[in-house]
Amino acid sequence: MTHMFFTSYAARKVWNYFLTAAGINVDGLTFHQAIVRCWTLQTVPRLKPIIQALPSIIVWELWKRRNGYKYGDLVSFNRVIYQISTMVQSLVKFRKPSLQNIPHKWPDLITMMEQGNPERISIGYVLRNEEGNIVYACGKEIQEGTNTEAEMKAILEALKFCVNNDYILIDLHTDSMWVKNVIQGVWAIPWTVAEEVKEIKELMGRCNLQISHTLREGNQLADYIANYAIDTGPLECHSFWELDVKGRKIVNNDKLQCPYIRVKVVRD
């Protein structure tokens, strides 16, 4: 097994190509040590799961190559490198759908991932009492993630604030039906947010939580605060008067129960 997957000429060429570009020196490493290096490599968070998945992808493509040889289909190690690069590129597209023009070449892909996500992502959440008054509001940028991941992180932070401040009767509103169904267990938990969902469920055991789906028009203040964090900077408010004029206007309209009208333009 070690010869087939690591010490043979083709296997060494493949491992050297991918690990050297990631900053790992393969010389003198055993098969097991190479895998451990991939799992323990210190790199940016967005690249870490890609490096950790790399050994499994390499082994799978080398196994396909071995079977090809057995049944008369000769596959060069350059072809194996191409197939591994294709699978890694697909993995990045799945994990980071907001990224555009993801390179196919492994060294170029590492460079792009290390430079960061060009799309800025923020979260915003608001806590109100039964009268609709502001108890706490927060908006800030996060390092990376899709919109749905940002929504999950916002819920996690909001629940942490509530539990840490002894707010245990919580009526949670989100404009993401996907997030609501994942938290409630109606839909399967994607592995990209598995850690956040686990923490949310632990916090749910410490409070009385009811979660509801609210259309985006009914959640304007949280959206405004998230956008404010992108345009102006982080925001943290503990009362109505710490909001800016536009934020206070949204709160007053909510308390007056002013209707929000959604207009849809139909084109022929």
Side-chain angles (χ1 to χ4, degrees), residues 39-85:
W39 274 85
T40 58
L41 181 67
Q42 297 300 313
T43 185
V44 294
R46 69 186 67 86
L47 185 57
K48 193 172 185 66
I50 307 301
I51 301 292
Q52 290 176 343
L54 187 61
S56 298
I57 299 173
I58 292 175
V59 168
W60 171 246
E61 291 299 335
L62 289 173
W63 175 249
K64 287 168 59 180
R65 179 178 185 270
R66 178 262 182 193
N67 289 337
Y69 265 109
K70 184 176 180 180
Y71 296 104
D73 183 15
L74 302 182
V75 179
S76 67
F77 68 83
N78 286 324
R79 180 64 182 174
V80 173
I81 289 174
Y82 177 86
Q83 291 170 332
I84 293 170
S85 299

Side-chain angles (χ1 to χ4, degrees), residues 188-204:
I189 302 173
W191 64 285
T192 54
V193 294
E195 292 185 8
E196 286 80 3
V197 174
K198 180 181 178 181
E199 288 190 68
I200 288 172
K201 291 191 174 183
E202 289 175 355
L203 291 168
M204 289 171 63

Side-chain angles (χ1 to χ4, degrees), residues 253-265:
N253 287 340
D254 287 344
K255 294 177 71 173
L256 291 172
Q257 297 184 347
C258 294
Y260 291 101
I261 301 174
R262 173 179 291 190
V263 177
K264 184 177 180 180
V265 178

Side-chain angles (χ1 to χ4, degrees), residues 83-99:
Q83 291 170 332
I84 293 170
S85 299
T86 300
M87 189 174 292
V88 171
Q89 183 189 44
S90 299
L91 177 60
V92 174
K93 288 180 178 179
F94 175 78
R95 283 189 58 85
K96 303 295 177 186
S98 60
L99 290 179

Side-chain angles (χ1 to χ4, degrees), residues 241-252:
W241 295 107
E242 292 183 10
L243 293 169
D244 64 2
V245 173
K246 187 172 182 179
R248 295 198 298 269
K249 181 180 178 181
I250 294 174
V251 174
N252 287 331

